[in-house]
Amino acid sequence: MRRRRFLGRVGVAGAVGTAGCGFRGLGSDEGPPRRFRVGDEGFEVAVDGGAFDSLSVRGVNLGMAKPGRFPGEAAITRAEYDRWLELMGELRVNVVRVYTVHPPALYRALAAYNRSHADPIYVLHGNWIGEETLREAGDATSLSPSFDRSMRQVVDAVHGATTVEPELGYASGTYDADVSDAVLGYVVGIEWPPAVVRETNWVTEATGHDGEFLAAPDGSPFEAWLAARLDAAVAYEADEYGAQRPAAFTNWVTTDPLDHPYEPFPDEDAVSVDPDAVVATDASEAGTFAAYHVYPYYPPLLNETPEYANYVDHRGEPNSYAGYLNDLVGATDHPLLVAEFGVPSSRGISQRDVHGRDQGRHTETEQGGILAAMYEDIREADTAGGIVFSWHDEWFKRTWNFAPFSDPNRRPFWSNVQTPEQRFGLLAFDPANAVPLDGSPDAWRDATAATPARDPVRLGDGADGARELTALRVTSDAAYLSVRLELADLGGEPDWDATNYLLALGLTDRGERLLPYGLDATAPADFVVRLGGPDASRVTVEPRYDAFAYEYGAGAGLDLDRYRDPAPGDFTPLRTVINRGYTVPETGERVPFESVETGGLRYGNGNPDSPRYDSLADVHVSPSNDAVEVRLPWLLLNVADPSRRRRLGDFWAEGLDAYETFESIDVAAASYVPGDGGGDATALDAETNLTHAVPGSADGGLDALSYVPQTWDRPAYTERLKESGRAVGDVFERYAGREE
């Protein structure tokens, strides 16, 4: 790594400057005055006129959304901020990063927390500039007035000296809590779209910026623009409040200053925004730093670059993430903060990492292990620390491969467990009154229920009790449709070679369909769930209702005629695309289109209070209760908005956004004897291997229970710290102990 030259650039003034005016907004107990600066290796804080001590960041990113609310509604309450800050402190978080001005409640809660705790929580504050706003502008310099205005508002807010009038999409109110002595610095902007950087560089003649506090002597037009924005913000705070603190801009792998010849997508290595282009002047008392969002699975260069994929980390293990960090830190003169890192605990997956740190399909326990390891990687790379993304799950988020299948205007109102972007949090929001998926019967008392109208077929082979269905129960919540099968006698663990179960689910009212697995029966089925044990359980879909085939089938090489006009009894696996395919430039290797089966069902205990809790569990078998339970994510069933009972319509004819309302879901259940190859009618030496059905069967068809899901305007939910939160707390505690 290059020797960092911070003190050489900022001069003597940077080593002795002051920042902050003390807490003064709430109550009479003021905190000690603090000064902040960037030193050779990272952040430094001086308290009450004392010497500067280093501060390694152990942070979390805090968004402004919560269930039932878009972030622009600024609906988080004081009680929630109080509760969350207290929990952050217990996890040894010392920095919370916010992307924009929050409601006044945050600053009041932070002031109160820091007055009552010896170890404060500091803030890294940003200003939000939307990606669509940037793309529409093209040339970022046209946004300078609004950008500077937003930063002045940030500065006024943290000093508790402004009133913000209501404006759609933004927080407002009276900001009367001075938290400036807790503001470690500013990180402005977002992950810069390459197209905007290119256009700004192309249309803007001016290069470089000679600022009072921050300069870009040789910067590109875009880098000069960023330097000017930072300089204006620092100057405003210095003039208005006599304070300075470190300031930097957001950056990401896509616009880093490194060359990436193995990156297959040109836009991901087309243009650079170099933090080293922005330097502190002699008038600066606080300095600047580099702030990067770095995830392990994107862009593809992190997988495809041999130097990264083969890099051996401090544990002696191959680690592309550590390899990239080592490269980035070595090419950066400024201290480097990893301002976002994380992996989600979603059921669905959107990107793969060569070493398993994928974007999704992690249990909460696995998520925690990966986050802890990534924080270790960040610290071992000689950085200024890292900030986990994110503090809490965010229901309003979308992910590229799942986004086409849900209503964008209703995403905050339900919990889409398929979507990785919604499950990065350490804090979960669980739907209220959800069944725990652990076999306990009490949670199902209010479920819609049916009992069988006829006796089962008895074979006398010892499995008749497991095949006899005594009840079918159906319920739902903001995340799942849940079904419980109750049996006469499971007899311990089921013998899956002797007995399987089938659920037929109908949402479209398109009539009866021939069922698979040798049942030789029909039902109003758009989806069929087979429960055949841990390795043979899945949800399949009637081909014409396969949204994956419609949206991604051409790229996947599917015979689309089969999906437009399927054969009777044809059901197909549910899949998710995770890679559309690309060619690695340096080698010419073709990485093909890739999808995964997302309809496969995982067995486990879904109760967070259980020591055997598996957050990805879909099916639970309870021999002690003679029950088999299954929960199905709404998106898996083409439900675009469960809060209003809206589903995908006939997308082959009208497109994916032609939503239709459904009044109820038809649910039929059956037990059967599995045949060779997943269903053979000779299994009973009869025309069908069906042994029992609930509500019943007649004239070759399964009867269905009509289940009417509840609708809602605001989702009811409860908060829960994930196991991943505890893992992050443990690793933060470990590093905090080294520093004390």
Side-chain angles (χ1 to χ4, degrees):
M1 186 192 330
R2 302 184 210 170
R3 172 66 178 158
R4 298 193 175 110
R5 300 186 294 274
F6 168 78
L7 292 177
R9 280 201 293 270
V10 303
V12 176
V16 297
T18 63
C21 306
F23 296 106
R24 61 173 182 265
L26 291 179
S28 59
D29 295 331
E30 295 186 354
R34 296 184 178 88
R35 297 174 292 159
F36 304 99
R37 73 179 185 185
V38 175
D40 256 6
E41 301 301 326
F43 294 100
E44 297 179 352
V45 181
V47 181
D48 203 14
F52 280 98
D53 291 321
S54 63
L55 183 146
S56 295
V57 173
R58 306 184 303 273
V60 293
N61 284 277
L62 176 63
M64 214 161 64
K66 67 180 185 180
R69 303 283 189 171
F70 283 100
E73 296 181 73
I76 300 172
T77 66
R78 171 66 189 271
E80 288 167 325
Y81 284 125
D82 283 336
R83 190 163 61 245
W84 296 351
L85 288 169
E86 192 68 36
L87 189 51
M88 290 177 195
E90 292 174 9
L91 299 181
R92 297 305 302 269
V93 169
N94 64 358
V95 172
V96 59
R97 179 191 177 202
V98 295
Y99 300 94
T100 188
V101 173
H102 277 239
L106 169 63
Y107 308 91
R108 295 168 185 162
L110 182 67
Y113 178 90
N114 284 342
R115 281 198 302 269
S116 60
H117 292 77
D119 295 324
I121 293 178
Y122 296 108
V123 177
L124 280 169
H125 211 301
N127 69 323
W128 186 255
I129 178 169
E131 182 176 347
E132 288 305 313
T133 301
L134 277 167
R135 291 187 184 278
E136 289 172 7
D139 174 13
T141 63
S142 66
L143 299 174
S144 297
S146 60
F147 194 104
D148 293 345
R149 186 168 55 251
S150 71
M151 277 307 300
R152 290 194 297 271
Q153 186 181 90
V154 167
V155 172
D156 290 339
V158 301
H159 283 275
T162 189
T163 296
V164 179
E165 296 301 320
E167 182 181 355
L168 185 64
Y170 297 91
S172 62
T174 298
Y175 290 80
D176 52 10
D178 183 352
V179 296
S180 58
D181 268 8
V183 180
L184 183 63
Y186 300 119
V187 182
V188 306
I190 65 169
E191 298 169 343
W192 308 110
V196 175
V197 179
R198 282 198 304 263
E199 184 168 349
T200 304
N201 288 341
W202 182 61
V203 304
T204 306
E205 294 183 2
T207 59
H209 172 72
D210 184 16
E212 180 182 2
F213 297 100
L214 292 164
D218 302 309
S220 69
F222 191 84
E223 292 162 347
W225 176 73
L226 284 171
R229 307 284 65 74
L230 292 172
D231 188 45
V234 173
Y236 178 76
E237 188 169 25
D239 291 343
E240 292 294 318
Y241 301 100
Q244 291 184 38
R245 66 197 75 248
F249 60 84
T250 301
N251 211 355
W252 59 324
V253 180
T254 293
T255 53
D256 72 14
L258 299 166
D259 292 326
H260 299 294
Y262 289 87
E263 173 53 50
F265 297 106
D267 268 359
E268 300 298 341
D269 194 39
V271 64
S272 293
V273 183
D274 190 352
D276 284 0
V278 180
V279 296
T281 70
D282 285 344
S284 172
E285 298 176 346
T288 186
F289 56 100
Y292 280 89
H293 297 177
V294 188
Y295 294 86
Y297 43 76
Y298 186 84
L301 66 91
L302 296 172
N303 285 335
E304 301 299 343
T305 304
E307 290 81 1
Y308 299 158
N310 299 326
Y311 182 84
V312 177
D313 65 16
H314 66 284
R315 307 175 192 88
E317 300 172 355
N319 186 336
S320 58
Y321 190 74
Y324 174 76
L325 288 177
N326 179 73
D327 202 7
L328 187 64
V329 170
T332 304
D333 285 338
H334 295 323
L336 189 148
L337 173 72
V338 180
E340 278 189 16
F341 72 96
V343 295
S345 61
S346 57
R347 188 183 184 281
I349 180 174
S350 293
Q351 312 273 352
R352 285 205 192 279
D353 165 59
V354 67
H355 296 123
R357 295 173 173 179
D358 303 330
Q359 187 183 10
R361 240 187 206 181
H362 300 296
T363 67
E364 293 173 5
T365 301
E366 292 166 348
Q367 179 195 32
I370 293 171
L371 291 177
M374 290 172 68
Y375 187 73
E376 290 175 354
D377 294 340
I378 289 165
R379 294 297 299 271
E380 294 296 327
D382 192 22
T383 70
I387 307 179
V388 174
F389 183 84
S390 59
W391 170 246
H392 61 268
D393 287 344
E394 298 176 301
W395 289 10
F396 79 97
K397 288 289 189 70
R398 62 184 176 87
T399 313
W400 69 274
N401 55 344
F402 293 100
F405 312 125
S406 63
D407 182 348
N409 298 313
R410 299 291 297 177
R411 288 189 183 122
F413 295 90
W414 58 289
S415 177
N416 186 351
V417 299
Q418 288 287 93
T419 298
E421 286 292 335
Q422 293 191 17
R423 287 295 180 278
F424 275 95
L426 305 181
L427 190 73
F429 298 119
D430 295 328
N433 302 317
V435 294
L437 203 77
D438 65 353
S440 50
D442 290 348
W444 296 84
R445 292 189 186 280
D446 295 328
T448 301
T451 55
R454 294 173 178 81
D455 291 335
V457 174
R458 302 188 187 279
L459 303 179
D461 61 353
D464 286 335
R467 298 190 192 105
E468 182 177 351
L469 297 160
T470 60
L472 166 67
R473 302 184 189 276
V474 186
T475 188
S476 61
D477 54 58
Y480 301 101
L481 174 74
S482 298
V483 181
R484 176 181 169 102
L485 298 178
E486 296 179 359
L487 297 312
D489 183 9
L490 268 178
E493 291 298 325
D495 179 356
W496 297 109
D497 291 331
T499 306
N500 281 194
Y501 307 98
L502 177 143
L503 300 174
L505 307 173
L507 288 82
T508 65
D509 297 324
R510 293 178 186 167
E512 303 281 319
R513 291 190 177 90
L514 183 65
L515 298 172
Y517 307 119
L519 266 67
D520 194 29
T522 63
D526 299 299
F527 299 89
V528 168
V529 181
R530 179 191 181 186
L531 301 175
D535 299 320
S537 296
R538 59 186 32 84
V539 186
T540 55
V541 60
E542 192 268 338
R544 188 172 173 83
Y545 207 39
D546 185 359
F548 168 85
Y550 173 81
E551 184 72 2
Y552 303 113
L558 300 181
D559 177 6
L560 297 185
D561 288 339
R562 175 203 166 194
Y563 292 84
R564 293 191 187 95
D565 187 19
D570 190 7
F571 284 80
T572 191
L574 287 169
R575 286 161 289 191
T576 296
V577 60
I578 60 172
N579 166 33
R580 288 190 173 104
Y582 56 80
T583 299
V584 181
E586 199 76 352
T587 64
E589 177 191 359
R590 181 64 188 169
V591 177
F593 180 101
E594 184 181 1
S595 65
V596 297
E597 185 179 359
T598 193
L601 299 177
R602 178 180 176 123
Y603 283 56
N605 188 309
N607 187 347
D609 295 330
S610 169
R612 298 184 300 278
Y613 174 55
D614 181 344
S615 61
L616 297 184
D618 302 305
V619 181
H620 180 74
V621 179
S622 178
S624 62
N625 291 288
D626 292 315
V628 178
E629 299 172 347
V630 58
R631 62 183 183 187
L632 303 171
W634 285 117
L635 198 73
L636 212 61
L637 304 177
N638 286 354
V639 176
D641 173 22
S643 70
R644 292 187 174 174
R645 289 202 298 263
R646 297 168 75 222
R647 60 170 179 81
L648 302 183
D650 186 355
F651 36 76
W652 293 99
E654 302 179 73
L656 284 169
D657 57 355
Y659 308 123
E660 296 182 8
T661 300
F662 63 95
E663 297 302 324
S664 62
I665 301 174
D666 292 322
V667 184
S671 64
Y672 68 97
V673 177
D676 296 335
D680 187 323
T682 64
L684 296 181
D685 194 22
E687 293 182 355
T688 177
N689 55 4
L690 177 69
T691 54
H692 205 197
V694 60
S697 61
D699 301 323
L702 298 187
D703 299 330
L705 175 154
S706 181
Y707 172 67
V708 180
Q710 289 186 342
T711 58
W712 58 88
D713 290 321
R714 296 292 179 198
Y717 62 92
T718 59
E719 295 176 5
R720 175 178 55 82
L721 184 68
K722 298 180 186 177
E723 183 61 32
S724 55
R726 296 182 180 89
V728 167
D730 289 345
V731 74
F732 281 0
E733 174 69 35
R734 191 153 33 92
Y735 276 91
R738 296 180 186 181
E739 295 154 8
E740 292 173 348

